[in-house]
C-alpha cells in the first residue's frame, strides 16, 4: 500500500454555543460547550486513516493534557504518531469557536506549538517523508517549514499535495513549482491570485497556478462541488445533493479522501468523485473528526 505523510497542525478545539455573538464589552452566558480534536493537518490525517490509508504525521504538541489527548486520538484512528514532537514550555495549539444559535460564528486560533515546529524536527523525521509516496501539507504551520518539506519531497521524488489554507501574507507562490496537486477553496484561490472567483473565470484563475509550475489544481466550491484544471482538461464536478447539517471539515474530508485515493492508484477524476462522496457524507453529520466516514460507509452509501 502507498504511504502518505501529513506534515501539519493539531489543535484542541473548544466550541462555545451562545444565543448571539457578544458585542464589544458584552458578557454573555453560553448554553453549552463542546471539546473536539482538530487542526487541518490532524483532520486530514484522520480522514485518510479512517478510509484505511497508511498515514504518518509530523507535527508538534505541548507537554500538556491537550497535547497527549490529541496524540492518543490520532493513534486510535490508526495514524502513526512517531513524528509528533512534544515541546516543553509551550501550549498545544487551540481553536476557540463561538457559535451563535443562528449559526453565525467567530473563531480565534492560538497556534501554540504548531508554530514551534523546526527544521530539526523535520530532519529527525526525514525518513517518514522520503519513504512516503505522497506528502500532504496545509498552511497552519510556519511557511518556512512548508517550503523546507516541499524541497525535501522534490529531491526524494515524493508527490506533494498542498491545501493552501489559510493563505497568509508570507505565502510565496514560488513553491508551486514543486507542488503536484493544489487544493484551495474559492476564497483561498481568490487570495492567491488577487481576483474574485466566479464560474466564468475559475478555469482561467486556476490555470494561472499551473502557469507557476503546479501540476494540477482542484478548487473546492462547497455545495457547488469542485473544479479541476490540469494540463489536459478543465472539468466541473458537482457536489452530491444532501441535507447538510454541519459543513465543518468538509474540506478536510475531501482532501484526505482525494489523497488516499490517488495514493491507492486512482485516476484524478476517480479520486475527485470518491472525495466528493466522502465530503458529502461528512456534511450530513455533526462534528469534525467524528463526522469523517470509513471506507465501508463511502462504498455502501446510497445517494
Ligand atoms: P471547511 O473549511 O468547512 O472544511 P472548505 O471551504 O475547505 O470547507 P468546501 O469547498 O466548503 O471546503 O467543501 C469541500 C467539498 O465538500 C466540496 O468540494 C463538496 O464536494 C463537499 N461539500 C461541501 N459542502 C457541501 C454541501 N452542502 N453538500 C454537499 N457537499 C458539500
Amino acid at each position: 500500500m502507498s504511504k502518505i505523510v501529513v506534515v501539519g497542525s493539531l489543535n484542541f478545539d473548544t466550541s462555545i454555543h451562545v444565543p448571539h455573538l457578544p458585542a464589544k464589552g458584552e458578557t454573555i452566558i453560553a448554553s453549552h460547550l463542546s471539546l473536539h480534536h482538530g487542526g487541518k493537518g490532524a483532520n486530514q490525517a484522520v480522514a485518510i486513516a479512517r478510509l484505511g490509508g497508511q498515514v504518518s504525521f509530523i507535527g508538534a504538541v505541548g507537554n500538556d493534557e491537550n497535547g497527549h489527548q490529541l496524540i492518543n486520538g490520532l493513534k486510535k484512528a490508526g495514524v502513526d504518531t512517531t513524528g509528533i514532537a512534544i515541546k516543553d514550555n509551550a501550549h498545544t495549539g487551540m481553536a476557540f469557536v463561538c457559535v451563535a444559535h443562528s449559526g453565525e460564528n467567530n473563531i480565534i486560533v492560538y497556534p501554540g506549538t504548531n508554530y514551534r515546529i523546526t527544521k530539526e524536527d523535520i530532519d529527525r523525521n526525514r525518513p517518514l517523508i522520503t519513504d512516503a509516496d505522497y506528502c500532504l501539507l496545509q498552511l497552519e504551520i510556519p511557511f518556512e517549514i512548508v517550503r523546507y518539506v516541499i524541497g525535501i519531497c522534490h529531491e526524494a521524488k515524493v508527490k506533494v499535495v498542498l491545501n493552501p489554507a489559510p493563505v497568509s501574507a508570507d505565502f510565496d507562490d514560488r513553491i508551486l513549482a514543486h507542488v503536484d496537486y493544489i487544493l484551495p477553496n474559492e476564497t483561498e484561490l481568490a487570495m492567491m491570485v488577487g481576483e474574485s472567483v466566479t464560474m466564468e473565470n475559475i478555469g482561467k484563475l486556476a490555470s494561472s497556478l499551473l502557469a507557476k509550475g503546479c501540476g494540477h489544481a482542484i478548487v473546492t466550491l462547497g455545495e457547488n462541488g469542485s473544479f479541476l484544471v490540469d494540463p489536459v482538461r478543465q472539468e466541473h464536478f458537482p457536489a452530491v445533493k444532501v441535507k447538510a447539517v454541519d459543513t465543518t471539515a468538509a474540506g478536510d474530508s475531501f482532501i484526505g479522501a482525494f489523497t488516499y485515493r490517488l495514493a491507492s492508484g486512482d485516476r484524478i477524476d476517480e479520486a475527485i468523485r470518491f472525495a466528493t462522496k466522502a465530503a458529502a457524507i461528512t456534511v450530513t453529520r455533526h462534528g469534525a473528526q467524528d463526522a469523517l466516514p470509513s471506507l465501508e460507509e463511502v462504498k455502501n452509501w446510497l445517494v
Side-chain angles (χ1 to χ4, degrees), residues 40 185 188 219-223 225-226 239-242 244 247-252 254-255 275-276 279-280 283:
K40 288 180 193 296
N185 66 16
E188 290 143 7
V219 186
T220 63
L221 303 164
E223 63 183 355
S226 60
V240 182
K241 284 210 183 334
V242 289
T247 60
T248 313
D252 295 333
F254 185 97
I255 291 157
T276 301
V283 304

Side-chain angles (χ1 to χ4, degrees), residues 31-168:
S31 56
H32 66 284
L33 175 131
S34 45
L35 306 173
H36 310 277
H37 294 186
K40 288 180 193 296
N43 290 349
Q44 293 175 21
V46 170
I48 294 165
R50 202 154 288 160
L51 291 166
Q54 190 175 339
V55 55
S56 52
F57 195 90
I58 299 176
V61 295
N63 195 1
D64 51 26
E65 180 58 29
N66 289 346
H68 292 290
Q69 275 200 34
L70 290 174
I71 292 178
N72 285 337
L74 287 183
K75 273 189 192 157
K76 224 169 119 188
V79 178
D80 170 5
T81 60
T82 53
I84 300 180
I86 299 178
K87 306 267 176 186
D88 286 323
N89 307 318
H91 289 288
T92 298
M94 296 181 85
F96 302 91
V97 187
C98 197
V99 192
H101 293 168
S102 67
E104 275 183 305
N105 67 26
N106 54 35
I107 303 175
I108 300 172
V109 175
Y110 174 70
T113 44
N114 293 315
Y115 276 15
R116 298 285 190 100
I117 303 171
T118 61
K119 290 183 180 169
E120 290 69 38
D121 292 325
I122 300 297
D123 286 340
R124 244 193 330 273
N125 293 294
R126 212 172 243 261
L128 289 179
I129 300 174
T130 53
D131 289 351
D133 301 285
Y134 284 81
C135 177
L136 172 57
L137 297 129
Q138 314 76 27
L139 300 179
E140 288 187 331
I141 58 172
F143 189 74
E144 60 175 293
I145 299 298
V146 171
R147 192 202 309 264
Y148 187 61
V149 172
I150 289 176
I152 295 172
C153 291
H154 179 63
E155 274 173 27
K157 298 195 169 37
V158 175
K159 293 230 177 327
V160 173
V161 182
L162 176 67
N163 170 216
V167 180
S168 62

